[in-house]
Amino acid sequence: HRAFPPTKRELIKTAEKYISKKWSELSKIICSNEMIIKSIQNKNFDIIVLISTIADLISSVVIGISPIIMATLIYKFGITKMCGYDD
């Protein structure tokens, strides 16, 4: 084990692997939220509020990885794709 905390890049890689493994479980949690659905459908949303909402939803499921990093990556990977609203 290393004595230093992981770098941001290492945390992001870990989060990406976790998202890939848990995509189905995360999508059920995220895409069943009414605010998320309305935000995606309207395409008129505050990114900070959306990411904060995602982080709040997944915080009880995600262990060992920052929910904010996870939420940001989920947003960047494609929240509309995850929830089936991809154009």
Side-chain angles (χ1 to χ4, degrees), residues 59-83:
S59 64
S60 63
V61 178
V62 177
I63 298 169
I65 303 168
S66 164
I68 293 294
I69 290 175
M70 290 282 291
T72 303
L73 290 172
I74 289 168
Y75 173 77
K76 287 186 174 199
F77 285 167
I79 187 70
T80 55
K81 179 181 176 184
M82 174 182 262
C83 295

Side-chain angles (χ1 to χ4, degrees), residues 3-79:
F4 300 101
T7 64
K8 183 178 177 181
R9 178 173 288 170
E10 290 170 332
L11 289 173
I12 290 171
K13 286 192 178 281
T14 301
E16 287 173 341
K17 288 178 188 175
Y18 185 88
I19 291 169
S20 294
K21 279 176 139 178
K22 301 286 187 174
W23 185 266
S24 178
E25 181 182 354
L26 291 171
S27 67
K28 287 177 188 171
I29 293 167
I30 295 166
C31 302
S32 64
N33 181 274
E34 189 174 321
M35 186 186 152
I36 299 286
I37 293 167
K38 285 181 181 179
S39 294
I40 293 170
Q41 288 174 336
N42 294 336
K43 298 182 182 180
N44 184 17
F45 53 83
D46 182 325
I47 293 171
I48 294 171
V49 172
L50 183 62
I51 290 174
S52 298
T53 303
I54 295 168
D56 185 48
L57 291 169
I58 65 174
S59 64
S60 63
V61 178
V62 177
I63 298 169
I65 303 168
S66 164
I68 293 294
I69 290 175
M70 290 282 291
T72 303
L73 290 172
I74 289 168
Y75 173 77
K76 287 186 174 199
F77 285 167
I79 187 70

